[in-house]
Amino acid sequence: MKNTQNQKISQIKFETLVVGIDIGKETHYARAFDYRGMELARLLKFSNTDQGFERLGQWMRDICKQQEKTGIIVGFEPTGHYWFTLGDHLKRQGHKLAIVNPFHVKRTKELDDNSPTKNDRKDPKTIAMLVKDGRYREVYIPDDIYQELREAVSERERLQEQLTSIYNRVVRWLDIRFPEFTTVFKDWRRNASLITLRSFPTPEKVMEMGVDKIVETWRKQMKRASLKRAERLVKVASRSVGRTSGKVASEVSLQNLLAEYDLYCQQYDKLEQLMQELLMQVPNADKLLDIKGVGLITAATFVGEVGDISRFQDPRQIQKLAGLNLVENSSGKHKGRTTISRRGRRRLRHSLFFSMIAILGKNQEFRLLHQRNLMRENNPLNKMQSIIALCGKLIRVFYAILIKGVDYSPEKMLGDMEQSIRVAA
């Protein structure tokens, strides 16, 4: 990966055609420039269709022929998902792709006309100029298994959000209709509580059933049925302060929520199985699961978000990709606070952070490193700083395992303790 600005600028040569594209949902706008920033053709307006893409290709080929250009680099803003189809098409055509930061476009669009005007003619030029000056990052579109994993991780996140939403809505329903329910069942997602909600969800129906029928119903669908719990349920139902008006429609609403919950749980289980099958196809990825505290979701999210790890020369590049690199705000005698950049792949950053919290509860080596960070004499870290530093350590461990194919070694990790301390400092 060519990451420095000088290296990026060096790729823009006399024979390079720089194309800036303003991405839209249905229509895109393109302008073409040479390495000095001189425009070589009129603005092109093309549709987000096969015919539009062919028109763009012919337009670029004609310019290359007229201006004696042999290479093309295409730059655009990552405007949501609208660039995916065009990006895939240009990649298949063998063109080099570059993404510019929308914040940079916003800040530099006034250089030409000293006006904050934003339009479809102005933006493509601003994008192309940023690419010409090396202010871009290369587009990485994962191939095959990595794209499959990334899609699976994204879908899992969506299902998890749906399950969380349903959980909260059921809790709300219970707070309104049967607030005493939670004194008998701590979690409505457990087997006994689910059977209860499906069969006799309201205090009135609990009273109608009685203790014996409740126990009988439980025994039909579970191995152990607690008589004491049934008695307690009937007791709290007899004193319930839950709302009783509109109970017929509210019960229908609850049953619909429970049906949705069952459906999403089934989809979630199938997706986790798919993620495991996909992860096992990535070289050395199974070795990540040997680290105590690292589960399927953590490993799959890391591999899916990072993609082909061989494209990185140093694990610090992955740390920057996750937005976990340290940044400092200092000037003159003022020394600002050092924080993480938070610029990068949000899902990767969140996964590493929450995974580290789980790892600290199970993995002795990481706990020792955490304690060392907190208790060291020189520049001790607080808990949050230590967790961020250990996320960087976890990235280096993952990188070594995936690149070299080595097995996880607790001894090697503890021996590398000083490096973790220097990164956190």
Side-chain angles (χ1 to χ4, degrees):
M1 294 180 65
K2 297 183 179 300
N3 286 313
T4 69
Q5 189 173 356
N6 283 347
Q7 289 174 315
K8 292 174 182 176
I9 292 174
S10 67
Q11 297 179 71
I12 312 298
K13 304 175 183 177
F14 172 81
E15 59 272 14
T16 303
L17 176 67
V18 182
V19 177
I21 300 180
D22 182 39
I23 301 291
K25 181 177 181 178
E26 298 177 351
T27 306
H28 310 311
Y29 296 84
R31 294 176 71 176
F33 301 85
D34 66 7
Y35 75 108
R36 292 186 299 173
M38 296 182 63
E39 190 159 14
L40 304 179
R42 296 181 64 181
L43 172 77
L44 175 70
K45 176 182 177 180
F46 64 101
S47 62
N48 189 37
T49 62
D50 179 60
Q51 294 82 3
F53 293 170
E54 179 56 35
R55 187 182 177 196
L56 171 67
Q58 187 61 52
W59 179 74
M60 293 191 297
R61 287 192 294 271
D62 290 344
I63 297 174
C64 287
K65 185 177 180 180
Q66 294 169 6
Q67 303 293 332
E68 299 181 350
K69 305 298 181 183
T70 58
I72 301 175
I73 180 168
V74 182
F76 43 82
E77 292 179 271
T79 50
H81 59 276
Y82 297 133
W83 68 273
F84 287 176
T85 52
L86 178 60
D88 288 344
H89 172 79
L90 292 172
K91 181 184 177 183
R92 288 193 296 269
Q93 299 300 312
H95 300 309
K96 184 178 177 62
L97 305 182
I99 281 182
V100 300
N101 192 321
F103 180 77
H104 295 169
V105 176
K106 182 178 180 180
R107 289 298 188 187
T108 59
K109 67 182 179 181
E110 299 183 29
L111 292 178
D112 287 340
D113 56 6
N114 194 32
S115 170
T117 303
K118 176 180 174 62
N119 56 54
D120 298 324
R121 177 173 181 81
K122 186 175 180 179
D123 285 356
K125 180 178 181 180
T126 305
I127 293 169
M129 294 303 100
L130 288 170
V131 173
K132 175 185 71 70
D133 294 335
R135 305 183 190 280
Y136 67 89
R137 63 180 177 88
E138 297 179 9
V139 177
Y140 172 67
I141 301 177
D143 291 323
D144 303 328
I145 193 64
Y146 300 107
Q147 184 63 44
E148 296 281 1
L149 262 176
R150 183 173 290 187
E151 294 286 349
V153 169
S154 177
E155 176 63 9
R156 175 198 165 272
E157 188 176 89
R158 184 189 71 83
L159 291 176
Q160 188 63 59
E161 289 175 355
Q162 293 293 334
L163 287 170
T164 301
S165 175
I166 292 172
Y167 173 82
N168 291 331
R169 288 158 68 188
V170 172
V171 169
R172 177 183 180 276
W173 190 95
L174 290 170
D175 289 343
I176 296 172
R177 299 290 170 177
F178 198 171
E180 298 80 10
F181 187 88
T182 54
T183 64
V184 180
F185 302 100
K186 292 183 179 180
D187 189 342
W188 66 260
R189 295 169 294 186
R190 302 295 183 184
N191 194 20
S193 53
L194 277 173
I195 295 170
T196 303
L197 290 176
R198 291 192 178 103
S199 304
F200 33 91
T202 62
E204 294 82 0
K205 288 193 173 182
V206 170
M207 295 296 294
E208 288 176 11
M209 292 289 289
V211 174
D212 293 337
K213 287 187 178 180
I214 290 174
V215 173
E216 183 181 346
T217 303
W218 285 349
R219 282 176 178 166
K220 290 179 181 179
Q221 303 181 56
M222 52 191 294
K223 293 181 180 180
R224 296 181 181 179
S226 172
L227 177 62
K228 290 184 178 180
R229 174 173 281 182
E231 292 173 345
R232 197 159 70 250
L233 181 63
V234 172
K235 182 179 179 180
V236 298
S238 66
R239 301 176 179 177
S240 178
V241 296
R243 176 182 285 183
T244 57
S245 60
K247 61 182 179 181
V248 175
S250 69
E251 285 188 42
V252 172
S253 174
L254 175 64
Q255 299 309 319
N256 288 341
L257 287 173
L258 296 178
E260 283 186 62
Y261 177 75
D262 291 338
L263 175 62
Y264 284 124
C265 283
Q266 293 172 13
Q267 294 176 349
Y268 189 91
D269 292 340
K270 289 181 181 178
L271 189 64
E272 279 204 342
Q273 180 63 36
L274 174 62
M275 290 173 64
Q276 184 168 12
E277 294 172 1
L278 293 171
L279 185 66
M280 293 303 104
Q281 298 177 41
V282 178
N284 304 317
D286 58 318
K287 296 178 183 293
L288 300 180
L289 302 178
D290 295 336
I291 304 174
K292 196 169 184 180
V294 174
L296 169 66
I297 304 304
T298 299
T301 302
F302 182 85
V303 175
E305 290 294 297
V306 171
D308 184 4
I309 203 164
S310 62
R311 66 194 181 100
F312 296 96
Q313 283 115 28
D314 191 282
R316 285 175 294 185
Q317 293 173 315
I318 302 176
Q319 198 167 339
K320 187 174 182 179
L321 177 70
L324 290 171
N325 55 305
L326 300 181
V327 294
E328 181 182 340
N329 181 20
S330 299
S331 178
K333 295 182 179 181
H334 169 72
K335 184 173 178 61
R337 185 180 178 185
T338 300
T339 61
I340 59 173
S341 70
R342 292 186 176 86
R343 293 188 179 181
R345 300 198 67 85
R346 177 193 59 82
R347 187 180 292 124
L348 176 59
R349 179 169 65 255
H350 287 191
S351 174
L352 288 167
F353 179 81
F354 290 111
S355 297
M356 181 51 59
I357 294 176
I359 288 171
L360 289 175
K362 299 178 181 180
N363 190 297
Q364 182 180 2
E365 303 88 61
F366 276 93
R367 275 203 305 270
L368 289 173
L369 286 172
H370 185 53
Q371 291 301 319
R372 174 69 182 272
N373 288 340
L374 299 178
M375 305 299 292
R376 65 191 189 187
E377 293 183 5
N378 296 325
N379 191 26
L381 306 179
N382 59 40
K383 289 184 179 180
M384 182 63 72
Q385 290 172 330
S386 178
I387 290 174
I388 296 300
L390 292 176
C391 286
K393 179 66 176 179
L394 186 63
I395 289 173
R396 293 195 294 276
V397 172
F398 281 179
Y399 181 83
I401 291 174
L402 293 173
I403 287 288
K404 302 176 182 178
V406 298
D407 294 327
Y408 172 68
S409 171
E411 294 78 13
K412 173 68 171 62
M413 198 194 74
L414 289 173
D416 201 29
M417 183 181 296
E418 293 301 324
Q419 184 177 354
S420 290
I421 295 174
R422 287 196 298 273
V423 172

